[in-house]
Amino acid sequence: MRVLSISTLFPSPVRGGFGKFVANQMAALHQLGGVDLTMINPIGLPPFPLSLRRPYRDWARCPAQSELAGLTVLHPRFTLIPMIGGDSNPARIARAVLPLVRRLHAEKPFDLVDAQFFFPDGPAAAIIAGELGLPLTIKARGSDIHYWGARPKALAQMLRAADQASALLTVSGALGRDMVALGMDEAKLRIHYTGLDRSRFIPTPRDQARAALPERLGLSIPDGVPLLVCPGALIAIKGQALAIGALEELPDAHLALAGTGAYETVLRQVAEPFAARVHFLGQVSHDALPLLMSAADAVVLPSEREGLANVWIEAMACGAPLIIPDIGGAREVISSPAAGRIALRTPHAIATAARELLDAPIAQQDVAAQVAGFSWDANAMKLKEIWQETR
């Protein structure tokens, strides 16, 4: 089976951290075998002179082709119109990619076109699949439905692409219900849960992990003091301010924020009353993140919206129970008290959930057992099955 997959979010030599979870999925699929995969990662660059500004100047240095985990990744350029051009990105992506795809298809025909995000990838892939006369699959991950689905021009393109597609993949049943509410065909839905690097995300005994934090991350937590961890980009919708506010009812607890983003200045102001107990760690590497989450008494993620966040699964695999709101696939992950707590997006509710977990600690191995079925191998096998059904 020969598959053309389009992903605007994918690692490249100049953006190595972008879309790592998509790369993990595709690397596992490559290792599984039986699929001849061509990855296309379109790079958006604005017209001159905006293209001379960062980050576009850096993105322009991306080579036309790169290698990742045995995969060849192609990086064609398309014209990006910053701020105002988001709704029209799919057509520009398709125009830029089609000449390359037609040549590749003529050399060795594809069986299927795949999009790894519903927008802008989905409508772009639909144009390409229509031109080649091939079946189409599209995956929804969360914000591509919740954000772009609220924009009429984008939604119209998404619905046309969904009508054309043979299968619509979703990272959770809850996100699938949101897709149906937008007008997509429920019969086409296929739940495709995220994967997990089981060699990386494993429990390190909490005391051992805590002892390693000063050297690895410069974070020193007094013995016996509760540690809450909030990983993710420092942006308003992630809700870190709510986690900080919960400290008022948790007078002994410390909170570590792992991430960077435009909201950091605001969060530092919010954290001033608890300055000694709130730690801004900056970007934590994928190698150090499992250690940090193993050291946590709980991982708090009060996001406004998610599909089914990879970091939920990664945290639990390290033995850290979750405190998350009732969004996306939360109830598909927290199906047992051993997985953590679902809490309203308020400081009081977060503090109450944290106190429950601190008063009756859950063994790390019991938390990790809740995600025993998640792996990138399982994820790749399911994706291959869906593609085989729809080719």
Side-chain angles (χ1 to χ4, degrees), residues 246-264:
L247 294 179
E248 186 167 355
E249 298 182 43
L250 300 166
D252 298 328
H254 284 233
L255 175 67
L257 304 181
T260 59
Y263 209 52
E264 181 172 342

Side-chain angles (χ1 to χ4, degrees), residues 2-6 37-38 40 101 110 112-114 128 132:
R2 184 158 155 77
V3 175
L4 171 72
S5 185
I6 297 172
L37 179 65
T38 297
I40 292 190
V101 168
F110 294 108
L112 174 76
V113 177
D114 164 72
I128 293 166
L132 301 183

Side-chain angles (χ1 to χ4, degrees), residues 239-326:
Q240 290 98 341
L242 301 171
I244 294 171
L247 294 179
E248 186 167 355
E249 298 182 43
L250 300 166
D252 298 328
H254 284 233
L255 175 67
L257 304 181
T260 59
Y263 209 52
E264 181 172 342
T265 300
V266 173
L267 291 174
R268 286 187 179 274
Q269 293 172 348
V270 173
E272 282 182 1
F274 319 103
R277 297 191 287 129
V278 180
H279 309 274
F280 289 83
L281 303 180
Q283 193 66 45
V284 175
S285 73
H286 217 53
D287 291 331
L289 189 59
L291 183 74
L292 178 63
M293 295 196 293
S294 291
D297 293 283
V299 164
V300 186
L301 292 156
S303 303
E304 181 181 316
R305 58 179 183 260
E306 298 281 0
L308 192 151
N310 291 60
V311 74
W312 293 353
I313 306 304
E314 293 168 351
M316 291 172 63
C318 294
L322 298 177
I323 300 173
I324 57 176
D326 193 2

